[in-house]
Amino acid sequence: MTPMQHSNVDAKKDTLSTTNHMLKVTAKRILRNDDLVLFMKAAKIAFEVWTDQASDLIFPLLPEIIVSPDPVVIDIGANMGQFASRVARRFPAGRIYSFEPIRTNGVGLRRVLRWLRVSNVEIFEEAVCDTTGTERIHIPNFHGYQDGTLAVLERSKRAFSNVTYHVVTVRTSTLDAFVTAQEVGRLDFLKVDTEGAEERVVRGGMQVISTLLPILYMEVTPDQAWMQVLYDIGYLPFYTDGVKLHSPRPGEWQNDLLLVHRSKTDPMAKLIER
């Protein structure tokens, strides 16, 4: 997941922030070439993956969380492969389905995978939500730098005072429709980072989630009302410090939440703080 702060988790805020804001804007102003900026961003991601640099605390724990040597993983909101490329290298016998609707992100994603010689990632250029068809997606513009990392579907968009938006139309599908069409019979891990559309992803994938019971990793807070549909079928929320997993404490907030079905906690019992 991208290590950024997104203000849609706090209704009192009316500005949108992005990681390395000034660096991105400055690079765009100096280089004046979108393709070169994209190339440099992909190179940075590939280098960080190659040298095993990861700010996301979940990565060191993945071998103990995903106990299968050949997991089936779905990455919704793949961006340029920050998550998918790491998982693919960690589990070379696994299969990763990556969804990324923004064209420039897709270019960067393919470039990163090629540079890292990753061959077990399949890319789908569409947005996963709760409808099949098309929808407009909004890409925030920070003083000339269009940040596809923060692109959000129109029905999930909020207005912010510090950005304008570039709007394009993308294909949409649902998790249930994809799994049925691809005849995916097993799903070990589902990562969702969709800038506020996580509820729609879950709504469009409840048949898959309730049947295959994948581990979920989402950029959400555990107290959102819609999350109750997951708790009702047996999912338990966890945060991590990079060493252990623990239930969210009162007042605690992290960018990302791990949800594990109670029937699948035994293999990772040593990780769970009691």
Side-chain angles (χ1 to χ4, degrees):
M1 298 228 175
T2 53
M4 59 87 190
Q5 299 293 324
H6 193 300
S7 57
N8 69 357
V9 300
D10 186 347
K12 296 179 181 179
K13 296 182 180 179
D14 61 355
T15 61
L16 186 66
S17 62
T18 179
T19 55
N20 301 316
H21 181 182
M22 290 307 300
L23 177 62
K24 292 175 178 177
V25 172
T26 302
K28 174 62 186 294
R29 288 177 176 174
I30 293 175
L31 298 174
R32 297 179 181 274
N33 186 308
D34 289 332
D35 291 337
L36 185 54
V37 172
L38 178 65
F39 182 91
M40 292 178 65
K41 183 178 178 181
K44 177 178 180 292
I45 292 169
F47 177 77
E48 290 173 347
V49 175
W50 181 261
T51 55
D52 203 24
Q53 299 178 42
S55 59
D56 196 321
L57 297 175
I58 201 70
F59 285 116
L61 306 181
L62 278 182
E64 296 175 85
I65 292 172
I66 305 177
V67 294
S68 171
D70 60 343
V72 177
V73 177
I74 292 181
D75 176 13
I76 298 175
N79 195 250
M80 291 192 190
Q82 294 92 325
F83 178 83
S85 58
R86 287 183 170 90
V87 174
R89 283 165 56 85
R90 186 68 60 88
F91 301 95
R95 186 168 187 179
I96 297 93
Y97 300 98
S98 282
F99 288 84
E100 177 49 56
I102 303 299
R103 185 196 66 81
T104 52
N105 286 349
V107 171
L109 172 57
R110 287 183 169 83
R111 192 171 279 158
V112 168
L113 297 178
R114 184 172 65 252
W115 286 342
L116 294 173
R117 299 182 180 179
V118 169
S119 60
N120 56 336
V121 177
E122 190 170 355
I123 301 170
F124 297 84
E125 294 185 355
E126 56 190 24
V128 178
C129 56
D130 54 356
T131 59
T132 298
T134 61
E135 187 170 336
R136 299 205 305 173
I137 197 166
H138 296 246
I139 307 170
N141 186 325
F142 293 89
H143 305 289
Y145 176 79
Q146 291 183 13
D147 197 337
T149 302
L150 302 178
V152 60
L153 287 169
E154 184 167 89
R155 285 174 50 198
S156 305
K157 175 180 170 289
R158 281 192 58 210
F160 296 99
S161 63
N162 65 321
V163 294
T164 57
Y165 287 93
H166 174 67
V167 182
V168 296
T169 299
V170 298
R171 295 193 308 271
T172 63
S173 185
T174 69
L175 179 61
D176 286 343
F178 171 78
V179 167
T180 298
Q182 296 290 323
E183 299 182 343
V184 177
R186 177 179 130 221
L187 179 57
D188 298 286
F189 197 95
L190 172 63
K191 170 255 182 182
V192 184
D193 185 4
T194 52
E195 301 307 314
E198 287 78 11
E199 178 183 1
R200 295 179 61 191
V201 174
V202 170
R203 191 186 308 137
M206 276 306 295
Q207 181 178 343
V208 165
I209 293 170
S210 60
T211 302
L212 302 183
L213 303 178
I215 294 169
L216 307 177
Y217 189 47
M218 300 191 291
E219 190 178 73
V220 296
T221 55
D223 57 349
Q224 296 185 53
W226 67 265
M227 295 281 289
Q228 192 61 46
V229 297
L230 297 174
Y231 302 145
D232 286 345
I233 62 173
Y235 274 90
L236 304 173
F238 295 98
Y239 282 150
T240 182
D241 59 4
V243 178
K244 292 281 189 179
L245 303 175
H246 64 270
S247 299
R249 305 178 182 106
E252 183 182 18
W253 184 86
Q254 292 186 12
N255 270 353
D256 306 311
L257 186 72
L258 189 76
L259 294 117
V260 183
H261 193 267
R262 60 186 173 217
S263 66
K264 297 192 173 184
T265 55
D266 285 351
M268 61 184 75
K270 291 182 180 179
L271 287 180
I272 300 175
E273 188 178 280
R274 301 297 181 182

